[in-house]
Amino acid sequence: MAPKKIIIDTDPGVDDILALLLALSASSEELEVALVSLTFGNIGVEECLRNAVSMFHILHMERQWRIEKGMEPGFSALERCKPVLAVGATCPIEDQLLEHDYFHGKDGLQGVHEAEMLAHLHHSPSEAWKHMFASSGTSDDSSFAVLPPNFRPSVIPAYKEILNVLRENEPDSVTIVAVGPLANLALAANEDVETFLRAKEVVVMGGTLNVEGNITPVAEFNQYACSYSAARIYALTSPTPRSTMPPCRELQPYPDQLSRPLKLTIFPLDITTTTLLSLETFDQVTKLVLSPESPENGSPLAQWVRYFVARTFDVIKDTLEGERDRDRFLALHDPLCIWYVLTSETGEWTINENVDVRVEVDGQWTRGMSVVDKRTKIKELDETKPLKDSDRGAWLHVTTGNRVRVAVDLRDRETFGADMLRRIFLTTKSTNALA
């Protein structure tokens, strides 16, 4: 069976990096990561690029270290296909004011680059990599004197690379996993919506339906950061996108008739904030590849990840001062989306179909809010019959309203964190040691 081909659209902070590592740690029979497209979000896009290049640099070091130790190198998805790495949107659609979420630190990884320079760990690549992404009008590999060993840099904007991947592959063969603000996806759909609809599925980490927001009382960060983009992507699930799509000065309206609706599956805070990782679990797994006596001689990847994960737990501890210790966990927002792609056929997931989720774009207090019609008296209308006065407030009609798939549960949610870490850090040899 051919591997599942995916695009990952991301703003690499802490859980984004874990999601990328989970995808790249898959076997070459499971996944093929065709493209990693970068967007602003938790941090600016330049910091996102630095973090992504650093991750690929560390993965090269990790594979070499494992081979030297007589272990399987792992990350075989990288052997099958070197992902394209492309820089995308630098700001929200409609110039919406955005304050970055510095929960992840100002560099997105809790200051890991500065710490490494001070400690002379040499895990961060030199600044020479920046020229690889400078616009020169071509993305031909021959334009680069020295290519990185495990990714392909692009000088083309990320949204155009998304469309390139979709054009180059058969319809329904590429899944887009978006774990940051959706500006790159909105730009791609704006340029060529029918090519965008060739995607097999779009999987989004974003929104909150029945729990409090994490950036405002009612909004999740990704949806708040670029609410117009989210609203436009959600609208593509509707039989009539204009019925739910807000007017936007920067982007064109969609055509009245599209070839088909978008299959969109969202992972709101309702499920991601209940999928947790403890520091104890992180320590239990990574200690197998980090010697307590000389951790600097252990896994380069575990050293690197341990720095920013441990400091993220410190931030959580400070934020929850006075709360119970058992409440101090890292929510695995973004990795959960990758896990869904890997396991969607296993029967582990509970998905609610055809939920009419709409995104508020301009509200003074409600920007980025997921709005769902929870009224029980409003029935789905028959498009063949004229609307009655009593029907005027109905949202979901045969030809209107969004049809979003909402992830609500994972059967083995309690063990997901440990399963993810084992995939990322442990080879067969070290997995046997764990047992």
Side-chain angles (χ1 to χ4, degrees), residues 95-327:
D95 296 323
Q96 294 169 294
L97 177 65
L98 171 71
E99 294 181 3
H100 293 304
D101 175 14
Y102 289 133
F103 173 81
H104 299 262
K106 291 191 176 182
D107 69 345
L109 295 178
Q110 307 295 358
V112 67
H113 304 290
E114 288 74 12
E116 286 176 354
M117 286 192 293
L118 292 173
H120 304 289
L121 293 178
H122 307 298
H123 285 174
S124 292
S126 71
E127 293 291 298
W129 53 264
K130 284 188 175 181
H131 80 280
M132 296 186 295
F133 300 90
S135 177
S136 62
T138 176
S139 61
D140 185 357
D141 287 351
S142 64
S143 64
F144 305 116
V146 179
L147 285 173
N150 52 14
F151 72 91
R152 292 175 288 157
S154 174
V155 298
I156 296 175
Y159 78 91
K160 290 183 178 292
E161 289 286 13
I162 291 172
L163 293 172
N164 285 342
V165 173
L166 293 172
R167 289 189 189 105
E168 292 165 1
N169 291 274
E170 294 294 321
D172 295 318
S173 64
V174 178
T175 295
I176 302 173
V177 184
V179 292
L182 300 183
N184 286 335
L185 275 62
L187 291 169
N190 179 67
E191 175 150 316
D192 188 344
V193 67
E194 288 297 341
T195 294
F196 186 79
L197 291 175
R198 289 166 66 97
K200 177 181 180 181
E201 184 176 5
V202 173
V203 179
V204 167
M205 190 279 122
T208 179
L209 305 187
N210 297 302
V211 301
E212 62 189 23
N214 61 1
I215 189 68
T216 74
V218 295
E220 175 273 333
F221 176 80
N222 288 340
Q223 224 169 252
Y224 174 88
C226 197
S227 59
Y228 276 92
S229 294
R232 286 176 64 90
I233 294 301
Y234 283 36
L236 288 174
T237 68
S238 174
T240 310
R242 57 183 169 78
S243 69
T244 63
M245 186 179 69
C248 180
R249 295 186 303 273
E250 303 297 327
L251 303 181
Q252 303 171 3
Y254 296 133
D256 288 340
Q257 295 296 323
L258 296 175
S259 60
R260 64 177 185 176
L262 178 70
K263 181 180 180 182
L264 174 67
T265 305
I266 66 169
F267 284 74
L269 295 181
D270 307 57
I271 183 172
T272 64
T273 53
T274 62
T275 309
L276 305 170
L277 174 67
S278 69
L279 182 58
E280 180 183 12
T281 298
F282 182 83
D283 286 342
Q284 286 175 345
V285 175
T286 55
K287 73 179 181 181
L288 297 170
V289 289
L290 286 175
S291 168
E293 294 78 20
S294 56
E296 68 277 3
N297 294 324
S299 158
L301 179 62
Q303 293 177 54
W304 187 64
V305 175
R306 181 173 179 77
Y307 179 89
F308 56 78
V309 167
R311 277 151 186 77
T312 300
F313 275 103
D314 289 341
V315 173
I316 294 171
K317 182 178 179 180
D318 292 342
T319 302
L320 296 177
E321 185 176 358
E323 299 291 334
R324 297 169 295 183
D325 287 342
R326 67 182 180 87
D327 291 329

Side-chain angles (χ1 to χ4, degrees), residues 9 38-41 44-45 86-93 157-159 181-184 187:
D9 191 72
L38 303 177
T39 179
F40 75 94
V45 74
V87 179
T90 60
C91 61
I93 304 297
Y159 78 91
L182 300 183
N184 286 335
L187 291 169

Side-chain angles (χ1 to χ4, degrees), residues 60-77:
H60 181 60
M61 295 175 61
E62 176 73 8
R63 285 170 58 83
Q64 290 181 318
W65 175 81
R66 291 183 184 184
I67 291 171
E68 291 171 0
K69 296 296 182 182
M71 301 177 183
E72 298 171 1
F75 298 95
S76 61

